[in-house]
Amino acid sequence: MSQRKQILLNAFSMNCVGHINHGLWTHPRDRSADYRRLSYWTELARTLERGLFDGIFLADIIGVYDIYQGSVDLTLKETIQLPVNDPILLISAMAAATQHLGFGVTVNTSVEAPYTFARRMSTLDHLTEGRIGWNIVTGYLDSAARALGQSGLGEHDNRYDRADDYLDVLYKLWEASWAEDAVQRDKTARMFADPARVRAIQHDGPYYHSEGYHLAEPSAQRTPVLYQAGTSGRGRKFAARHGECIFIGATDKAAAARTAKALREASVAAGRAPDDIKIFVGITVVPGRTNAEAEEKLADYLDHASPEAGLAHFAAGSGIDFSRFEADEPIDYGTGNAIQSVNQLARQKGWTKRQLLKELAIGGRYPLVVGDGAKVAEELIGWIEEGGIDGFNLTRTVVPESYVDFIDVVIPELQARGAYKTAYTDGTLRHRLFGNGDRLPDNHPGSRQARELARRW
């Protein structure tokens, strides 16, 4: 009998109160309003490590959700990712509280120069001892562009063109500025780093120009594990070139299978292998010791959830103000300049406002799995085997209850079925995810570029 694929698992969270499943901050057992406290995050990190989670995936936005009703009123009332604090500042503390948990952090390429960002990520890779990943986003909010002093959000495909150039600068800094043997740490010879083995990079691209030495010595992974969530045509091309862990949205297993197949084919077309990418689906789970308990818990959560807040979040992703539509009025989703995959999904489903609110009953749009441990485990395994994916970004409902329940109820059932690890593998985040060492594989463009530059030493 062939060995069953081991499910990869991230906790999907954000440095804010309301993340994906909106309205549940009002539940009496929810602690998400404690997001300002460091202890909230270190306790969560230890909990996730107890459950052998591969990582915590920290989302982020720059800007606010102001499409719905043309204001931030509901966004503020229901704390729809506002207020939101910087996710990067959480990682050192969570890393100090754990030994194995990985960290995927979202940073927008439009916000910071690649030169300074490269140092920040190298620093985190050092401090976490190789457990850092970066979720590459290009932004999708006009409100963010305006706040950053721009006239408006750049055109969708052009944002990816800029990001390609951004990554090329980073690869040079992370992979080619310091030779592998540059750092000597030789006190007797008074040689910490050999000047002959460190050099300035030069980049003269269509969007970015940089000449300088990478400020950090090589870290365990050099380049952090690269996460990406683009599944539009241009986003898929970008993911195929750069991404190692790809986050997709899918309403069912068949949709996941189609997207996964297209992504793996694109990876091959980019000169990589189908298994060079790990594909994650966002999912919400409400588990119970029995099916009846799980259903009771769901009913309790629904009493506190806000479908309208979910609709306001969906409006930001689609760029459409759904408050202007009657319940059953047809909606022209168009192509938009925000998240194209959101509009494509809504267009395919033909969702009206009434149907959207039904889809968003628990305040979020990801598939919902409810049941006892055995039922949930079989459903998740079905997604892996039928959907052609590798793992899940597990959304939060009531915090920390939803993660604790998943660990105590679902994970033992997954382990009993051979679908989930019983211990962590040693090594960096990249090695634990792919089993092929700490560094980018030879067929990755970052690695290929580093080899080309190395020939010029």
Side-chain angles (χ1 to χ4, degrees), residues 407-428:
I407 290 166
D408 292 342
V409 174
V410 180
I411 284 179
E413 295 288 346
L414 291 172
Q415 290 170 328
R417 289 159 175 76
Y420 193 75
K421 59 187 170 296
T422 56
Y424 281 109
T425 301
D426 290 332
T428 63

Side-chain angles (χ1 to χ4, degrees), residues 81-92:
Q81 300 183 9
L82 183 70
V84 57
N85 285 351
D86 190 328
I88 283 182
L89 299 180
L90 304 173
I91 292 171
S92 294

Side-chain angles (χ1 to χ4, degrees), residues 165-345:
D165 200 34
Y166 194 100
L167 267 292
D168 286 342
V169 179
L170 293 175
Y171 292 144
K172 291 178 180 180
L173 290 164
W174 285 328
E175 299 287 340
S177 183
W178 292 63
E180 200 68 31
D181 59 354
V183 177
Q184 301 290 313
R185 287 185 172 82
D186 187 336
K187 293 185 178 182
T188 303
R190 302 188 66 84
M191 175 78 77
F192 184 85
D194 182 352
R197 305 299 287 161
V198 183
R199 67 176 178 187
I201 66 105
Q202 292 187 344
H203 182 83
D204 187 18
Y207 299 98
Y208 294 96
H209 306 273
S210 182
E211 180 180 345
Y213 298 91
H214 186 36
L215 295 171
E217 65 179 273
S219 62
Q221 298 182 119
R222 283 191 179 252
T223 297
V225 174
L226 300 174
Y227 293 77
Q228 216 276 319
T231 53
S232 66
R234 183 61 179 91
R236 188 176 298 163
K237 182 179 177 182
F238 183 88
R241 179 173 185 239
H242 302 285
E244 296 178 276
C245 297
I246 313 298
F247 179 26
I248 69 171
T251 55
D252 53 47
K253 302 180 187 80
R258 289 192 296 271
T259 302
K261 181 175 183 290
L263 283 168
R264 297 194 197 281
E265 289 173 349
S267 178
V268 172
R272 302 169 67 195
D275 292 335
D276 282 349
I277 57 175
K278 301 293 186 184
I279 300 174
F280 293 78
V281 163
I283 203 158
T284 299
V285 176
V286 179
R289 298 289 177 184
T290 65
N291 286 323
E293 181 183 284
E295 292 292 344
E296 289 173 8
K297 191 183 300 179
L298 174 62
D300 179 31
Y301 289 179
L302 289 173
D303 283 343
H304 295 84
S306 173
E308 187 184 20
L311 187 63
H313 188 173
F314 196 87
S318 66
I320 296 170
D321 181 3
F322 296 104
S323 69
R324 298 185 292 107
F325 293 89
E326 298 298 327
D328 299 308
E329 182 181 352
I331 298 171
D332 180 10
Y333 288 94
T335 54
N337 193 35
I339 304 177
Q340 289 191 358
S341 58
V342 170
N343 281 340
Q344 182 180 9
L345 171 63

Side-chain angles (χ1 to χ4, degrees), residues 30-218:
D30 184 77
R31 286 188 51 213
S32 61
D34 292 338
Y35 77 104
R36 299 166 300 162
R37 300 178 182 275
L38 207 54
S39 59
Y40 170 89
W41 294 102
T42 54
E43 288 169 15
L44 175 60
R46 283 189 286 264
T47 296
L48 298 175
E49 186 153 274
R50 178 172 72 83
L52 305 177
F53 276 61
D54 294 283
I56 179 169
F57 184 109
L58 292 168
D60 192 33
I61 58 166
I62 303 296
V64 298
Y65 296 147
D66 59 358
I67 299 296
Y68 189 75
Q69 298 174 342
S71 76
V72 295
D73 290 358
L74 186 64
T75 294
L76 285 166
K77 289 176 180 177
E78 284 286 2
T79 183
I80 308 169
Q81 300 183 9
L82 183 70
V84 57
N85 285 351
D86 190 328
I88 283 182
L89 299 180
L90 304 173
I91 292 171
S92 294
M94 289 193 288
T98 56
Q99 291 182 293
H100 303 284
L101 186 70
F103 306 96
V105 61
T106 300
V107 180
N108 188 329
T109 57
S110 303
V111 173
E112 184 175 2
Y115 185 71
T116 52
F117 175 69
R119 179 176 69 164
R120 181 165 292 112
M121 295 306 287
S122 291
T123 302
L124 284 173
D125 203 41
H126 283 299
L127 294 178
T128 62
E129 298 182 341
R131 291 187 276 154
I132 193 67
W134 169 35
N135 178 38
I136 310 162
V137 299
T138 63
Y140 65 94
L141 297 176
D142 255 341
S143 63
R146 295 193 304 270
L148 291 167
Q150 302 163 12
S151 58
L153 187 65
E155 189 270 331
H156 178 274
D157 287 6
N158 181 255
R159 300 201 300 270
Y160 280 113
D161 294 341
R162 292 183 66 91
D164 271 323
D165 200 34
Y166 194 100
L167 267 292
D168 286 342
V169 179
L170 293 175
Y171 292 144
K172 291 178 180 180
L173 290 164
W174 285 328
E175 299 287 340
S177 183
W178 292 63
E180 200 68 31
D181 59 354
V183 177
Q184 301 290 313
R185 287 185 172 82
D186 187 336
K187 293 185 178 182
T188 303
R190 302 188 66 84
M191 175 78 77
F192 184 85
D194 182 352
R197 305 299 287 161
V198 183
R199 67 176 178 187
I201 66 105
Q202 292 187 344
H203 182 83
D204 187 18
Y207 299 98
Y208 294 96
H209 306 273
S210 182
E211 180 180 345
Y213 298 91
H214 186 36
L215 295 171
E217 65 179 273

